[in-house]
Amino acid sequence: MTTKSAMLASRATAGARYLAAITELRSAYIDLAALEGALRNKNFGVGDTDAGIGASAGFNGRLPEIPLAMRHATYASSALGAIDQAVDAQALVYLNALQAG
């Protein structure tokens, strides 16, 4: 048998794990979408079958923010920042690295 306080402690632990997971999901999404965007950039001659990224590969549209259905009132209530803007900024970092290298 469990106690209410044990369940509350377990909830707090699960909530912390959830916040870490959704934060990592956002970060991985930004990185992957930015890399794919940079690799698809025709100015650098990539984004073809050499990279394994065709026009239809990758994400089907971009997320403006973490979907409402994935938020939690206590542990992940905000959108965690605009995802589209972060993808664009990170893609520029990758494109500048390609241009420099």
Side-chain angles (χ1 to χ4, degrees):
M1 188 168 169
T2 190
T3 65
K4 181 179 177 181
S5 61
M7 289 182 79
L8 287 170
S10 293
R11 178 182 181 267
T13 300
R17 288 178 43 225
Y18 185 78
L19 177 57
I22 202 165
T23 300
E24 172 56 21
L25 175 64
R26 179 187 182 277
S27 179
Y29 180 97
I30 289 167
D31 207 27
L32 183 57
L35 285 162
E36 289 181 347
L39 289 168
R40 276 196 211 95
N41 188 296
K42 304 246 186 258
N43 293 330
F44 294 98
V46 293
D48 51 39
T49 54
D50 289 343
I53 301 170
S56 63
F59 291 113
N60 184 16
R62 296 244 305 261
L63 291 176
E65 58 190 26
I66 293 294
L68 188 59
M70 293 185 70
R71 297 186 203 165
H72 185 277
T74 302
Y75 297 105
S77 60
S78 71
L80 301 176
I83 294 175
D84 268 352
Q85 293 169 359
V87 168
D88 291 341
Q90 187 61 42
L92 284 175
V93 170
Y94 289 130
L95 288 170
N96 288 334
L98 278 174
Q99 189 172 24

